[in-house]
């Protein structure tokens, strides 16, 4: 895949983005360890751009599976970005809890905002877009069918509840850590649903 | 072009180097469109890349040889790619020069490669050891087999036991060949599979106009009405599918009657999920709407329907004028309202009206087709084709562009180097007196007749024929074939093992599509063509300057072909010529010597209209042309052949009946005068379309003298849903399989390998079953155990189970078709009861083909047909396939695939249906109306008792 690349495929593009991103991070890590600040700061902008690609390329990769109607949603890239923001914020909160970094109140605000944005994106994805029958069938599976329980658990326990708790008590360290763990778990479960459910539709 | 990264990686040796800078082979066509083929000039030396070697560019050079597919009746063109390096066939693709298939094939065409490479195929002639059916075999030579069989036949002929020799054909398709052979022997020994397939439709068409098959011109139609799934699995699968879609692309409306949401129905503009057996009621309601709306074709009806005969016979004293005919017809069908049809069929009256009006407006561009399906499922199923054709007659779309022609108009009739006289015998084992109108042989009653001691068979050939599995009442076949008194010697001519071959005395391996000669011609569309099936390795040998004497010299093992087999057998039956057989097999080119298969075809092609001239333009003989291209268009589209003038010479000495216009010569009708012109008309007594059938009256069925609707044996009146009863449709075909012939094709079985019971969710809820539930399905003579598949694609209240699946072999049988067969244990209780249990499903096995170890499916389906009794339709002779069944949840001890049958009950049901027949003689002590077609037609005198 890497050595005989087929450039139109997002698998290849994503593969390269991941490799380059990994390279940038490695360099920055080396810079930090060796005290070469220029190396760290010099790669911030390329690192950010690559991080963006790494966060969303899966959406384009899925969209290339033309038979899977649910993945054709124009909101899928937004969905991915929002999830990456949530996951990133959650990780920093956990690192903060472990005393490895120190975060300001703004990150918690961003975290709550990202969760809120996620709920809005989910609502639009599930209630507004998706014109085809196959996509509708997936929506039905998620909201009312076999994924119903898991989906609503994720929405309530891994999105609404942490957001609400942090909104009411943004500085409590225990709340922060619990919220971060729940959100990470929620992302994992939700993406699993997003990957699995559309593939349950028989194509022939 | 490789990217920079790829080039770099190759140059530093990270990945293998695939780009050597050598010139690439031309692509046939840029992109992926299938519009181009290897040009025929290069067919003897064609180079392309080997697909399996990818990404390496491995060049392979082939001889490309045309032949035809042997899997279904369509005989589509194939091109065999024979690898020059090892002399083996690498693959099959479509032959662009074949007028029927036009370069395309269905999945079964290319799968021929699986069949010729099947590790289980029979490679040498085998003779049984031990008792028949014991599964022990010894290899014999072709000479031994030929001499032994020829001796038997010679003895029977000398002892005037002509009726003890029979040839029973499953897959036919070598035009006229066998008729010639059997008539040279002077026997009435032809039997076929027709009456489990198409007699219903054949009778329905024949009673109208003598021709017994339709040839719809789908491509030019405005409305196409299909009864059943013709698009994916109808008669002429691929050629028809192309033309139906062509018609649709040109704007034709597609109307489909089928209780099952088939692929065809899913593409229809109107899907009419009729209750099975109610189709004729719907068609007659449509007729009523068309008549009422004045959308009938007055000119056609007036000129080409025998309405005057109807009025004169049935309404004496009344005015014989066209308006009166319409009035009387209106009255005759007054009860067939769309509302009545809705009651019978479950299809809304408004839809029936709407479709009828569309048909009326399509006028002469109305293409219709019914072949098996409703016509072969129901008691009185022949009425479906009759009522369908009624719509063609009303709209004047018989034989028009975009309409429906008789098949004979688009079918080729070869000229043979020698034509033996018709036989003088009438064989009542095949044409019993109970079924004087049957189309044709009552083949599925053969075991019952044998059990009733109506006769015996000394020598019985089965050709690519598997009644033990395909026919109803398979245990009766097993009994009959095991009875050495009833069947003296059973010779199975077959490319593959089958449930029937296990009960043979000789199993003689015959070639598949690319291993044999045949001449094919089918009415796939408007136009007439011929195609040449040829043993491709023999043709390659010929191109290399070799000249094998017999095809088995080049085929795998000693696989032969029937054409040469019959010539050699006939020659040996009559070595000294005293029986008068030998002379029919003497070469037309080398007097006194035995004809070769090449000479046989050379003569036909030299006498095919226009072929020698076309061939000469390329500097080829007619035979060389057919070897090169594999097909030839004999006639482009021709319509309205009934209006052809009788040629002046034929008219000499003919007389015209002043009242009916029928023109006769030497007592035989040859045409009819219409609008002052002597036309050939149709091959009926009136030489017209017979709306009114005096034949039906003469042969004791006056109630059906005009197109009528009959209630089927599975009419809702007969079904008690409270008791778990249902009608079961066991006939529908899957697009990738073909009866029991596809069991040796791994690709096909990989796609389709089970046959669950289709059931609507409402029925499943009522019975408390779900997809995968095991159920016991009781028929009149036993039961089978199968799984349920719940689907909205089935009409509520109707069940269906597909054909082709549930193949088996017993532990003692030679391993055959292991891609498709389960191993079963059959037990007889000695009182006529038989049970079958699956011991092992389909399993992976080690063989020369690595794929055999990769078989991932274990389910091969359930053999439902063996639990069906015979249902001979008293008129058409069709086996009425649909079953009234009763469903129960499976019992605790039941296992998937279990079967039980009581053959005593088989005989009871057989007698019950036999009693419904109205036996010959008909008028003048006839066995059968003289004007009707008959397979292997004997001399006219034999028609009289
Ligand atoms: S329709 Fe399919 S099976 Fe039939 S002859 Fe053509 S390719 Fe063969």
């Amino acid at each position: 895949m890497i050595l005989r690349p087929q450039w139109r495929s997002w698998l290849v593009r994503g593969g390269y983005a991941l490799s380059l991103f990994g390279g940038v991070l490695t360099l920055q890590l080396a810079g930090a360890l060796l005290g070469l600040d220029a190396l760290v700061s010099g790669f911030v902008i390329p690192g950010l751009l690559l991080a963006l690609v790494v966060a969303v390329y899966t959406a384009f990769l899925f969209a290339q599976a033309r038979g899977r109607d649910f993945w054709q949603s124009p909101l899928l890239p937004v969905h991915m970005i929002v999830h990456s923001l949530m996951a990133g914020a959650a990780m920093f909160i956990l690192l903060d809890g472990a005393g490895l970094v120190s975060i300001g109140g703004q990150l918690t605000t961003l975290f709550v905002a990202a969760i809120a944005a996620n709920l809005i994106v989910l609502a639009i994805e599930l209630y507004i877009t998706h014109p085809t029958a196959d996509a509708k069938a997936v929506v039905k599976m998620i909201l009312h069918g076999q994924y119903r329980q898991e989906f609503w658990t994720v929405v309530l326990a891994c999105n609404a509840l942490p957001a609400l708790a942090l909104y009411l008590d943004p500085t409590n360290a225990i709340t922060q850590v619990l919220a971060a763990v729940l959100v990470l778990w929620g992302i994992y479960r939700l993406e699993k649903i997003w990957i699995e459910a559309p593939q349950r539709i028989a194509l022939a | 072009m490789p990217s920079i990264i790829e080039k770099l990686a190759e140059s530093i040796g990270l990945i293998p180097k695939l780009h050597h800078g050598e010139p690439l082979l031309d692509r046939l066509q840029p992109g992926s469109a299938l519009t181009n083929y290897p040009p025929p000039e290069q067919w003897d030396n064609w180079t392309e890349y080997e697909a399996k070697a990818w990404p390496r560019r491995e060049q392979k050079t082939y001889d490309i040889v045309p032949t035809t597919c042997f899997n279904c009746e369509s005989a589509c063109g194939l091109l065999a790619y024979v690898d020059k390096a090892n002399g083996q066939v690498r693959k099959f693709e479509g032959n662009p020069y074949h007028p029927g298939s036009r370069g395309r094939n269905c999945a079964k065409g290319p799968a021929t490669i699986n069949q010729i490479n099947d590790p289980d195929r029979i490679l040498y002639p085998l003779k049984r050891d031990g008792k028949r059916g014991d599964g022990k075999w010894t290899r014999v030579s072709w000479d031994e087999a030929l001499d032994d069989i020829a001796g038997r036949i010679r003895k029977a002929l000398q002892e005037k036991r002509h009726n003890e020799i029979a040839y029973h054909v499953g897959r036919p398709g070598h035009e006229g060949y066998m008729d010639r052979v059997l008539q040279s022997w002077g026997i009435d020994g032809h039997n076929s599979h027709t009456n489990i397939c198409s007699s219903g439709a054949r009778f329905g068409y024949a009673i109208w106009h003598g021709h017994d098959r339709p040839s719809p011109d789908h491509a030019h139609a405005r409305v196409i009405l299909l009864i059943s799934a013709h698009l994916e699995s109808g008669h002429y699968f691929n050629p028809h599918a192309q033309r139906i879609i062509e018609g649709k692309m040109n704007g034709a409306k597609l109307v489909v009657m089928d209780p099952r949401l088939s692929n065809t129905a899913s593409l229809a503009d109107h899907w009419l999920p009729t209750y099975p057996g109610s189709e004729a009621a719907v068609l007659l309601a449509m007729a009523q709407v068309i008549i009422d709306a004045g959308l009938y074709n007055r000119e056609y009806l007036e000129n080409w329907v025998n309405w005057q005969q109807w009025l004169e016979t049935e309404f004496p004293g009344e005015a014989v004028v066209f308006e009166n005919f319409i009035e009387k017809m209106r009255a005759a069908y007054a009860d067939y309202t769309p509302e009545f049809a809705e009651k019978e069929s479950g299809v809304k009256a408004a839809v029936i009206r709407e479709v009828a009006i569309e048909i009326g407006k399509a006028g002469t561009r109305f293409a219709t087709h019914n072949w098996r399906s409703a016509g072969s499922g129901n008691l009185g199923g022949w009425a479906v084709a009759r009522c369908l054709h009624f719509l063609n007659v009303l709209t004047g779309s018989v034989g028009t562009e975009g309409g429906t022609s008789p098949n004979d108009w688009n079918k080729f009739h070869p000229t043979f180097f020698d034509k033996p006289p018709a036989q003088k015998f009438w064989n009542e084992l095949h044409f019993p007196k109970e079924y004087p109108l049957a189309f044709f042989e009552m083949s599925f009653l053969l075991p019952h007749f044998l059990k009733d001691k109506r006769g015996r068979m000394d020598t019985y050939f089965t050709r690519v024929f598997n009644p033990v599995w395909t026919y109803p009442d398979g245990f009766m076949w097993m009994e009959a074939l095991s009875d050495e008194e009833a069947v003296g010697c059973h010779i199975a001519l077959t490319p593959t093992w089958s449930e029937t071959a296990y009960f043979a005395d000789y199993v003689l391996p015959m070639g598949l599509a690319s291993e044999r000669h045949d001449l094919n011609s089918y009415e796939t569309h408007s136009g007439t063509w011929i195609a040449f099936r040829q043993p491709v390795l023999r043709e390659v040998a010929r191109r290399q300057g070799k000249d094998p004497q017999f095809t088995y010299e080049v085929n795998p093992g000693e696989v032969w072909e029937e054409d040469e087999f019959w010539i050699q057998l006939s020659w040996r039956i009559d070595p000294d010529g005293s029986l008068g057989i030998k002379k029919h097999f003497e070469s037309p080119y080398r007097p006194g010597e035995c004809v070769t298969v090449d000479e046989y075809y050379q003569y036909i092609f030299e006498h095919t209209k226009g072929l020698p001239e076309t061939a000469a333009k390329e500097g080829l003989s007619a035979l060389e042309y057919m070897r090169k291209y594999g097909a030839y268009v004999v006639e482009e589209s021709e319509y309205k052949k009934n209006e052809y003038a009788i040629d002046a010479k034929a008219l000499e000495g003919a007389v015209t009946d002043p009242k009916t216009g029928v023109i006769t010569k030497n007592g035989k009708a040859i045409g009819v005068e219409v609008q002052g012109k002597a036309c050939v008309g149709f091959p009926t007594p009136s030489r017209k379309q017979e709306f009114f059938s005096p034949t039906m009256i003469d042969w004791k069925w006056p109630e059906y003298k005009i197109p009528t609707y009959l209630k089927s044996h599975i009419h809702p009146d007969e079904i008690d849903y409270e008791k778990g009863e249902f009608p079961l449709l066991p006939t529908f075909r899957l697009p990738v399989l073909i009866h029991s012939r596809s069991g040796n094709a791994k690709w096909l079985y990989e796609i389709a390998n089970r046959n669950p019971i289709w059931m609507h969710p409402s029925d499943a809820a009522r019975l408390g079953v779900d997809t995968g539930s095991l159920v016991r399905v009781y028929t009149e003579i036993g039961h089978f155990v199968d799984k349920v598949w719940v689907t909205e694609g089935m009409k509520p209240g109707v069940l269906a189970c597909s054909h082709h699946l549930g193949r088996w072999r017993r532990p003692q049988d030679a391993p055959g078709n292991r891609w498709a067969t389960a191993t079963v244990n059959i037990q007889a209780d000695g009182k006529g009861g038989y049970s079958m249990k699956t011991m092992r499903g389909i399993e992976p096995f080690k063989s020369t083909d690595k794929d055999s170890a990769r078989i991932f499916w274990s389910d091969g389906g359930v053999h439902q047909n063996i639990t069906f009794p015979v249902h001979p339709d008293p008129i058409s002779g069709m086996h009425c396939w649909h079953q009234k069944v009763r469903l129960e949840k499976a019992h605790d001890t039941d296992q998937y695939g279990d079967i039980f049958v009581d053959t005593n009950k088989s005989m009871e049901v057989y007698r019950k249906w036999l009693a419904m027949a109205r036996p010959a003689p008909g008028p003048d002590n006839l066995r059968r109306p003289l004007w009707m077609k008959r397979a292997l037609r004997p001399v006219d005198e034999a028609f009289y008792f």
Side-chain angles (χ1 to χ4, degrees):
Chain A
M1 195 187 81
I2 296 290
L3 297 181
R4 293 194 205 277
Q6 148 63 286
W7 285 112
R8 271 171 309 179
S9 163
W10 275 97
L11 203 62
V12 171
R13 293 174 185 177
Y16 270 93
L18 281 171
S19 312
L20 289 176
F21 188 48
V24 165
L25 290 180
T26 313
L27 284 175
Q28 286 185 315
L29 181 68
L33 291 177
L34 300 174
L36 301 172
D37 280 355
L39 201 55
V40 178
S41 56
F43 276 105
V44 166
I45 301 289
L48 264 177
L49 290 176
L50 283 168
L52 191 71
V53 177
V54 168
V56 297
Y57 90 89
T58 323
F60 300 117
L61 174 63
F62 281 11
Q64 280 187 327
R66 302 295 293 273
R68 300 293 171 199
D69 292 7
F70 186 75
W71 291 341
Q72 307 304 317
S73 160
L75 269 187
L76 206 52
V78 183
H79 170 119
M80 296 290 175
I81 290 178
V82 171
H83 265 183
S84 68
L85 288 175
M86 283 161 71
M91 275 314 293
F92 276 104
I93 288 172
L94 291 181
L95 291 173
D96 179 58
L100 290 173
V101 296
S102 162
I103 57 163
Q106 278 165 337
L107 192 67
T108 318
T109 315
L110 174 76
F111 189 38
V112 175
I115 298 174
N118 184 45
L119 290 173
I120 294 169
V121 171
L122 288 185
I124 299 175
E125 274 199 275
L126 293 173
Y127 288 102
I128 298 182
T129 50
H130 298 312
T132 71
D134 279 1
K136 283 195 185 114
V138 175
V139 170
K140 198 169 158 215
M141 250 191 270
I142 296 173
L143 292 179
H144 311 289
Q146 65 199 98
Y147 294 104
R148 168 181 92 231
Q149 213 172 357
E150 181 154 26
F151 174 74
W152 290 113
T153 311
V154 168
V155 167
L156 293 176
C158 304
N159 280 257
L161 185 71
L164 191 66
L166 284 177
Y167 178 71
L168 295 175
D169 188 1
T171 51
N172 184 324
I174 298 184
T175 313
Q176 283 183 348
V177 169
L178 279 179
V181 170
L182 281 172
V183 163
L184 284 175
W185 176 250
I187 290 172
Y188 166 61
R189 296 312 300 177
L190 197 83
E191 294 305 15
K192 191 162 181 304
I193 296 175
W194 247 243
I195 289 170
E196 215 174 78
Q199 298 188 69
R200 291 204 182 270
I201 304 289
L203 291 182
Chain B
M1 279 303 289
S3 64
I4 298 171
I5 295 178
E6 189 172 355
K7 276 192 201 150
L8 201 68
E10 281 189 352
S11 64
I12 59 173
L14 272 178
I15 48 176
K17 210 166 183 170
L18 299 177
H19 306 94
H20 301 284
E22 86 274 32
L24 297 183
L25 289 181
D26 283 343
R27 263 177 173 272
L28 282 176
Q29 175 77 15
S32 61
L34 186 69
T35 52
N36 218 334
Y37 302 87
E41 313 80 78
Q42 295 179 32
W43 282 7
D44 51 7
N45 196 19
W46 172 249
T47 304
E48 65 177 34
Y49 295 125
E50 164 59 38
K52 279 210 166 163
W54 189 89
R56 275 179 300 112
R57 291 213 169 82
E58 183 185 316
Q59 295 194 1
K60 279 205 175 173
T61 307
Y62 297 101
D63 265 301
I64 297 180
V65 186
T67 185
T68 62
C69 180
F70 191 55
N71 276 331
C72 88
E73 52 280 14
S74 321
C76 296
L78 292 176
L79 293 183
Y81 285 60
V82 183
D83 190 336
K84 281 193 185 279
N86 62 12
Q88 292 193 348
V89 182
R90 172 68 186 87
K91 62 172 178 177
F92 292 93
E93 297 203 347
N95 178 2
Y97 290 93
H98 189 292
S101 59
R102 305 183 289 195
R104 300 176 180 93
N105 292 105
C106 82
K108 303 184 287 296
T112 302
I113 191 73
N114 295 165
Q115 301 177 302
I116 64 171
N117 292 331
D118 176 27
D120 286 349
R121 69 178 299 185
I122 309 159
L123 292 173
Y124 301 95
L126 299 173
K127 189 177 182 183
R128 101 171 131 93
D129 246 356
K131 265 179 58 191
R132 202 183 282 161
D134 272 0
K136 296 200 190 74
W137 302 92
T138 312
R139 181 175 159 186
V140 292
S141 70
W142 278 111
D143 272 334
E144 287 170 77
L146 282 168
D147 285 340
D148 183 23
I149 299 165
R152 281 190 86 91
I153 296 176
R154 178 178 174 81
K155 185 156 180 281
L157 296 180
Q158 281 170 334
E159 293 170 5
K160 295 279 171 260
R161 292 182 284 116
H162 286 64
N163 281 353
E164 289 189 12
I165 302 161
Y167 162 82
H168 207 148
V169 59
R171 169 82 259 113
H174 45 179
E175 296 309 322
Y177 194 103
M178 272 325 283
D179 285 13
R180 218 191 70 80
V181 172
L182 298 175
Q183 290 188 321
S184 77
W185 299 358
I187 64 168
D188 190 30
H190 189 274
N191 208 332
S192 71
H193 74 269
T194 304
N195 282 30
I196 59 146
C197 175
S198 57
S199 349
R202 283 178 193 267
F203 182 82
Y205 287 112
I207 198 70
W208 265 108
H209 62 182
H211 304 286
D212 60 348
R213 293 172 79 143
S215 174
D217 187 14
H218 294 309
H220 304 108
R222 232 173 255 149
V223 171
I224 299 171
L225 172 51
L226 304 176
I227 296 184
S228 168
H230 291 279
L231 188 49
E232 80 262 27
S233 62
H235 219 249
Y236 307 140
F237 285 74
N238 155 49
H240 268 181
Q242 296 180 23
R243 283 148 183 112
I244 293 169
I245 293 300
E246 217 172 298
K248 260 183 84 83
M249 304 282 276
N250 292 332
K253 282 263 169 27
L254 179 61
V255 184
V256 175
M257 277 192 203
D258 196 333
R260 195 176 60 89
L261 181 62
S262 61
N263 297 15
T264 310
S266 73
L267 283 180
D269 296 280
H270 297 280
W271 172 37
L272 313 184
T274 37
Y275 183 90
S278 68
E279 297 80 1
V282 175
L283 294 165
L284 289 180
M286 289 177 177
Q288 192 203 56
V289 173
I290 290 171
I291 298 168
D292 278 350
L295 288 171
Y296 54 82
N297 185 325
R298 176 175 179 139
E299 193 194 334
Y300 188 82
L301 292 177
E302 209 168 350
N303 290 330
W304 285 106
V305 173
N306 70 339
W307 55 273
Q308 293 97 332
Q309 199 177 8
W310 187 42
L311 293 182
E312 278 158 11
T313 316
E314 298 288 307
F315 308 97
E318 292 199 31
V320 183
V321 291
F322 185 75
E323 286 68 25
N324 197 25
F325 165 54
I326 295 292
E327 269 327 299
K328 290 288 183 271
M329 195 157 58
R330 208 190 292 274
Y333 294 105
D335 291 343
Y336 290 104
T337 58
E339 285 69 24
F340 167 77
E342 174 174 341
K343 196 174 122 287
E344 291 297 291
S345 68
V347 176
K348 291 257 172 301
V351 176
I352 297 174
R353 276 207 178 82
E354 188 189 338
V355 172
I357 295 293
E358 279 179 29
I359 292 171
K361 287 188 180 154
T364 58
R365 288 185 184 267
F366 175 47
T368 63
H369 204 178
N370 171 229
W371 194 237
R372 286 173 295 255
S373 177
S376 67
N378 300 289
L379 171 64
W382 53 270
V384 178
R386 194 188 195 191
C387 295
L388 182 65
H389 188 75
F390 186 19
L391 297 184
N392 284 112
V393 173
L394 281 175
T395 49
S397 54
V398 181
T400 53
E401 182 170 7
T404 309
S405 290
N407 68 315
D408 298 304
W409 292 6
N410 295 324
K411 195 167 160 72
F412 173 76
H413 298 285
T415 309
F416 298 113
F417 69 93
D418 167 273
K419 205 170 155 17
Q423 74 278 17
K424 300 192 181 69
F425 296 88
W426 185 285
N427 193 331
E428 291 198 0
L429 267 184
H430 311 318
F431 287 95
K433 63 178 186 313
E434 285 88 347
Y435 299 96
L437 304 176
F439 269 74
F440 299 102
E441 305 93 345
M442 297 304 296
S443 66
F444 58 94
L445 299 184
L446 192 56
H448 307 76
F449 288 163
L450 291 174
K451 191 159 186 164
D452 268 352
K453 305 260 181 273
R454 287 194 181 203
R456 77 176 288 270
M457 293 189 298
D458 178 78
T459 309
Y460 180 52
F461 293 95
T462 52
R463 189 249 188 181
V464 196
F465 180 56
N466 189 9
V468 170
W469 191 89
T470 311
Y471 271 46
D473 237 348
F475 285 113
M476 287 291 295
W477 280 90
M478 271 189 251
E479 269 188 12
L481 292 176
S482 305
D483 180 350
E484 293 177 27
E485 230 343 272
V487 180
C489 180
H490 169 207
I491 301 142
L493 309 170
T494 172
T496 140
W497 282 110
S498 72
E499 289 79 349
T500 300
Y502 293 138
F503 295 89
D505 296 286
Y506 279 104
V507 173
L508 303 182
M510 294 295 169
L512 292 154
S514 57
E515 301 165 342
R516 55 185 300 121
H517 286 93
D518 282 320
L519 177 66
N520 313 118
S521 173
Y522 292 109
E523 63 285 6
T524 53
H525 60 284
S526 158
T528 306
W529 52 265
I530 52 170
F532 190 33
R533 191 175 281 143
Q534 58 181 337
V536 301
L537 298 181
R538 189 164 176 171
E539 171 59 8
V540 169
R542 211 190 47 76
R543 287 184 193 176
Q544 293 168 349
K546 298 178 204 149
D547 185 20
Q549 192 190 359
F550 294 120
T551 298
Y552 63 71
E553 295 164 25
V554 293
N555 274 347
E558 283 180 11
V559 172
W560 207 4
E561 57 165 310
E562 281 105 329
D563 280 8
E564 287 184 336
F565 171 80
W566 294 120
I567 294 172
Q568 291 306 313
L569 184 67
S570 303
W571 197 260
R572 292 182 199 216
I573 292 172
D574 188 20
D576 52 7
S578 60
L579 293 176
I581 297 174
K582 190 175 175 186
K583 62 174 189 264
H584 299 299
F585 294 88
E586 282 174 14
S587 163
Y589 304 102
R590 297 171 296 120
E593 292 190 54
C594 186
V595 67
T596 65
V597 71
D598 280 343
E599 288 170 338
Y600 174 86
Y601 286 106
Q602 177 185 347
Y603 190 92
I604 292 176
F605 296 147
E606 281 173 355
H607 294 81
T608 297
K609 194 175 86 188
L611 176 51
E613 294 75 14
T614 307
K617 282 192 202 129
E618 297 203 18
L620 301 171
S621 73
L623 178 61
E624 285 165 344
Y625 181 93
M626 291 304 284
R627 281 174 176 156
K628 177 169 179 189
Y629 292 102
Y632 175 70
V633 178
V634 183
E635 186 180 270
E636 299 287 355
S637 301
E638 283 283 343
Y639 300 103
K640 298 192 174 172
K641 291 192 178 178
N642 52 312
E643 294 179 11
Y644 281 8
I646 305 177
D647 67 68
K649 206 154 147 257
L651 269 180
E652 277 169 26
V655 284
T656 307
D657 184 316
K659 210 162 116 219
T660 62
V662 174
I663 304 165
T664 43
K665 189 170 171 180
N666 305 329
K668 285 209 163 129
I670 58 164
V672 63
E673 201 173 281
V674 170
Q675 302 286 355
K677 184 178 150 195
C679 306
V680 293
F682 297 96
T684 55
S686 66
R687 301 302 287 187
K688 292 191 176 180
Q689 294 284 331
E690 300 211 333
F691 167 75
F692 167 64
S693 171
T695 305
M696 289 305 258
I697 301 174
D698 290 347
W699 291 79
K700 309 171 195 171
W701 297 97
E703 61 269 51
Y704 305 134
K705 60 195 163 205
I706 62 171
T708 329
Y709 162 61
L710 288 74
K711 286 189 176 173
S712 163
H713 63 300
I714 50 145
H715 188 270
D717 293 353
E718 309 291 327
I719 308 286
D720 186 345
Y721 286 100
E722 295 294 309
K723 287 194 186 145
E725 290 177 359
F726 283 92
L728 169 73
L729 278 60
T731 43
F732 78 88
R733 291 170 39 162
L734 303 174
V736 296
L737 294 181
I738 184 78
H739 305 304
S740 64
R741 280 197 303 288
S742 44
N744 53 354
K746 59 182 180 186
W747 295 340
L748 304 179
Y749 257 75
E750 184 179 4
I751 300 172
N753 46 53
R754 62 187 69 183
N755 61 343
I757 307 276
W758 291 39
M759 185 187 285
H760 190 265
S762 61
D763 293 317
R766 195 162 50 78
L767 296 174
V769 296
D770 207 342
T771 293
S773 300
L774 218 50
V775 287
R776 228 184 221 222
V777 184
Y778 285 96
T779 64
E780 289 155 279
I781 60 171
H783 71 256
F784 63 96
V785 178
D786 197 358
K787 287 178 191 151
V788 169
W789 183 50
V790 179
T791 167
E792 289 190 345
M794 198 63 223
K795 188 178 175 72
V798 183
L799 305 178
C801 182
S802 85
H803 177 50
H804 320 286
L805 291 146
R807 303 291 310 284
W808 49 263
R809 61 182 198 274
R810 303 162 305 162
Q812 72 261 42
D813 292 325
N817 305 306
R818 276 180 284 175
W819 318 96
T821 51
T823 311
V824 299
N825 179 13
I826 297 177
Q827 292 289 341
D829 65 8
K831 294 179 294 192
Y834 291 88
S835 65
M836 187 190 290
K837 273 204 170 290
T838 306
M839 300 162 71
R840 293 189 308 278
I842 296 170
E843 294 167 326
F845 60 98
K846 285 227 160 52
S847 74
T848 47
D849 182 345
K850 286 203 181 97
D851 281 346
S852 66
R854 301 182 182 123
I855 293 179
F856 60 81
W857 59 98
S858 56
D859 181 353
V862 179
H863 186 190
Q864 53 172 343
N865 291 8
I866 202 165
T867 65
F868 300 161
V870 291
H871 289 157
D873 183 277
I875 296 176
S876 69
M878 178 79 222
H879 166 61
C880 308
W881 275 104
H882 293 348
Q883 304 287 320
K884 172 175 141 179
V885 297
R886 186 167 59 79
L887 236 66
E888 264 179 19
K889 285 190 188 170
H891 298 189
D892 288 345
T893 51
D894 282 353
Q895 280 173 1
Y896 179 67
D898 280 2
I899 277 161
F900 176 78
V901 167
D902 180 353
T903 50
N904 299 304
K905 289 196 182 146
S906 299
M907 289 302 282
E908 264 171 42
V909 180
Y910 149 71
R911 288 192 214 292
K912 187 175 118 196
W913 281 69
L914 191 66
M916 288 156 56
R918 298 181 190 168
D924 303 329
N925 213 23
L926 273 167
R927 294 174 182 273
R928 181 181 181 82
L930 274 167
W931 70 271
M932 274 191 167
K933 274 191 182 174
R934 210 212 88 160
L936 195 73
R937 193 181 175 90
V939 294
D940 279 0
E941 297 76 60
F943 277 67
Y944 297 87
F945 276 100

